Amino acid sequence: METVNSYLIKGDENVLIDSGENSEKSWEALLAGLSEYGLTIGDIDRLIITHAHVDHIGMADRVSRAADCPVWVSDMVYPWAVDVRQMWQQRTDLLRKSVSSLLPDQLAPMITGMFESMSSEIMKQWSPISEDRLVQFAADGDALTINGIKWDVLYAPGHSITQSCFYQPVTQQMISADMLLKITPTPVIEADPEADGERELSILTMLESYAKFREIPMSMVYPGHYETFDDPIKKIDQQVHRIHKRKEECYALITSGVTDLFELFQQLYKGRFHLPAFNMTLAYIDLLIHEGRLKIVDKTAQKSEIVLV
């Protein structure tokens, strides 16, 4: 993404929404942004986190210590805030388990090695937060009061199982994290909170979140990346349409005989490797399985195959 948005709500209480990753570049950008409003890091009274991804929470502990302010996180984010290394190890193990059985023997170590390398890099930019600095709120159905104004907390899983957005019902403003962006967010590979050790079918959850957010009147959307926008329904419809269009392209490739996960990915994304695109390929397969058009069958104890129904 290269950039992430942090939002400042200025008033009697100066509240920062999301922190950015823990890097000097992010730190300097945050200080420069605060300076535009006549503030320093010491003027921040509270930091609120939307979800547990490095670009949104990685620098939270540093901000909290410099500002001597609490960090508000949902109950879904809390485990990541206090023990990110263990949580990331669990995610890395899940990534390996989820894709290795669908990859050729010669490619599985390379792809899972890339996941592990990515995890190692992320850990350099994500610091755990001291428990004594954390304040919890419910990921869904709660409300945050900021400068006397109530913001509803809306659970928005799909891109992240830990993600919440903040909605002001009078002004109809939405701080949308990575739920609503100008491009389709990636349904990342994460653990299902209701099924121990199993993968969340994130694409299905994301489509449910899209349907939920489509019914909410929004005058302005403040996304986690890129610029603000005022046409959320149009963007939701476009992105849902694209998901189904790409799903059909994936299905057409499978019916033509391409049943290897990596080959499907290469065909869909023209050989350009990056993790979000790889996650999207797996998401299309999940969606087709959910629709009853594909299934995964075990070929051996370690290998599985995508087959038509």
Side-chain angles (χ1 to χ4, degrees):
M1 288 285 200
E2 295 186 356
T3 65
V4 63
N5 295 333
S6 291
Y7 291 103
L8 171 70
I9 301 178
K10 187 179 178 183
D12 293 336
E13 179 189 30
N14 296 313
V15 176
L16 193 66
I17 311 293
D18 285 342
S19 68
E21 64 188 24
N22 190 18
S23 68
E24 287 307 310
K25 190 173 182 180
S26 288
W27 181 252
E28 290 168 6
L30 176 59
L31 296 183
L34 291 171
S35 179
E36 291 181 21
Y37 294 92
L39 300 176
T40 68
I41 196 70
D43 294 314
I44 299 300
D45 298 301
R46 181 168 31 149
L47 171 61
I48 303 174
I49 300 299
T50 60
H51 62 293
H53 283 177
V54 62
D55 49 343
H56 296 264
I57 192 176
M59 198 164 63
D61 187 66
R62 183 174 181 180
V63 171
S64 174
R65 291 180 183 280
D68 193 22
C69 73
V71 182
W72 285 50
V73 299
S74 77
D75 47 4
M76 297 296 291
V77 172
Y78 188 87
W80 289 87
V82 298
D83 198 355
V84 62
R85 289 194 176 276
Q86 178 181 340
M87 298 300 290
W88 250 114
Q89 186 58 55
Q90 292 176 7
R91 180 179 288 178
T92 301
D93 293 343
L94 183 66
L95 285 165
R96 187 187 303 109
K97 173 185 173 183
S98 299
V99 303
S100 59
S101 67
L102 293 171
L103 292 169
D105 289 336
Q106 66 272 22
L107 285 177
M110 179 188 75
I111 300 301
T112 56
M114 288 181 179
F115 290 152
E116 290 168 2
S117 177
M118 175 197 70
S119 296
S120 177
E121 288 301 310
I122 284 174
M123 287 301 92
K124 296 176 184 177
Q125 299 178 20
W126 188 341
S127 299
I129 305 168
S130 299
E131 290 187 67
D132 61 353
R133 294 185 176 274
L134 291 170
V135 178
Q136 284 192 70
F137 57 88
D140 192 28
D142 209 335
L144 304 178
T145 300
I146 303 174
N147 287 315
I149 298 173
K150 186 182 80 168
W151 292 76
D152 295 332
V153 179
L154 305 179
Y155 188 43
H159 168 69
S160 169
I161 202 68
T162 67
Q163 183 170 247
S164 295
C165 302
F166 309 128
Y167 177 66
Q168 212 301 303
V170 176
T171 61
Q172 299 182 351
Q173 294 172 297
M174 178 72 77
I175 299 174
S176 69
D178 289 1
M179 179 64 235
L180 302 179
L181 304 171
K182 75 172 186 179
I183 63 170
T184 306
T186 303
V188 302
I189 296 173
E190 291 185 294
D192 186 335
E194 298 181 0
D196 187 39
E198 297 300 316
R199 180 169 60 87
E200 169 81 3
L201 298 181
S202 300
I203 186 66
L204 304 182
T205 313
M206 193 166 83
L207 289 170
E208 291 172 0
S209 291
Y210 268 135
K212 170 179 151 182
F213 274 65
R214 198 184 186 285
E215 300 304 313
I216 300 171
M218 290 176 262
S219 63
M220 184 61 70
V221 175
Y222 299 88
H225 301 272
Y226 312 117
E227 64 273 6
T228 60
F229 53 89
D230 60 3
D231 56 349
I233 303 303
K234 179 180 178 181
K235 283 186 168 51
I236 289 171
D237 289 346
Q238 288 174 338
Q239 290 171 20
V240 170
H241 174 77
R242 177 173 171 77
I243 287 169
H244 288 291
K245 178 176 179 291
R246 296 288 277 169
K247 172 201 70 180
E248 294 303 325
E249 292 173 8
C250 183
Y251 186 71
L253 287 167
I254 293 169
T255 58
S256 73
V258 181
T259 59
D260 170 80
L261 176 60
F262 190 75
E263 180 63 23
L264 280 169
F265 160 72
Q266 287 191 311
Q267 292 285 337
L268 286 169
Y269 293 95
K270 309 304 179 188
R272 180 173 58 93
F273 186 86
H274 69 113
L275 187 58
F278 195 83
N279 286 349
M280 286 302 304
T281 304
L282 188 59
Y284 300 138
I285 293 170
D286 287 342
L287 194 50
L288 288 163
I289 291 172
H290 177 73
E291 293 175 353
R293 299 162 71 188
L294 297 179
K295 63 181 179 179
I296 303 292
V297 297
D298 293 335
K299 294 175 65 178
T300 67
Q302 284 81 34
K303 291 297 173 184
S304 301
E305 183 179 19
I306 301 165
V307 300
L308 298 169
V309 173

